[in-house]
Amino acid sequence: MNIAYWIVAGPLALFYFYAGTLKVIRSRDHLRPMMAWVDRIPLPALRALGAVEILGATGLILPPLTGIAPALAAAAAIGFVLLQTGAIAVHLTGEDRRIALNAALTVAAAVTIWLAVRL
């Protein structure tokens, strides 16, 4: 189970760390080609979302790696399921109906939850 966890959680954490970093440091103009919804939320909320993604990615990696509070990995994955549920709602209420990536991230986070509770 440990190897399976890292196979799923590692790329998931890398994705969220990258996406979160982009949201924290880039301007709306640079994000717009990748994320059509950035004009629909306030800039501080966008920055906070990026920070939450970075913290969640850290929560997927550090607790199992260090052995300190490994249950936090499951909590981080639960947070990502909730985040993607909200993201799907944002996409469906706006002009952007592309939710395949969001659905895949939701499934990956759900699998990560299952694997994290079995570590």
Side-chain angles (χ1 to χ4, degrees), residues 15-16 37 40 83-107:
F15 174 85
Y16 279 112
W37 52 268
R40 297 176 49 206
L83 183 134
Q84 286 305 320
T85 303
I88 289 170
V90 168
H91 283 276
L92 292 177
T93 59
E95 302 167 359
D96 187 13
R97 303 275 185 210
R98 295 172 292 168
I99 61 167
L101 177 61
N102 302 98
L105 290 169
T106 304
V107 170

Side-chain angles (χ1 to χ4, degrees), residues 8-78:
V8 178
L12 190 64
L14 285 174
F15 174 85
Y16 279 112
F17 189 82
Y18 174 72
T21 302
L22 290 180
K23 289 177 185 119
V24 168
I25 64 173
R26 288 208 173 163
S27 69
R28 284 185 196 267
D29 294 332
H30 285 106
L31 291 173
R32 197 172 294 114
M34 295 178 284
M35 304 168 197
W37 52 268
V38 296
D39 290 325
R40 297 176 49 206
I41 65 170
L43 189 60
L46 180 66
R47 302 287 189 231
L49 179 61
V52 166
E53 289 177 349
I54 292 168
L55 290 172
T58 305
L60 288 179
I61 300 299
L62 285 183
L65 191 63
T66 63
I68 300 171
L72 290 178
I78 290 168

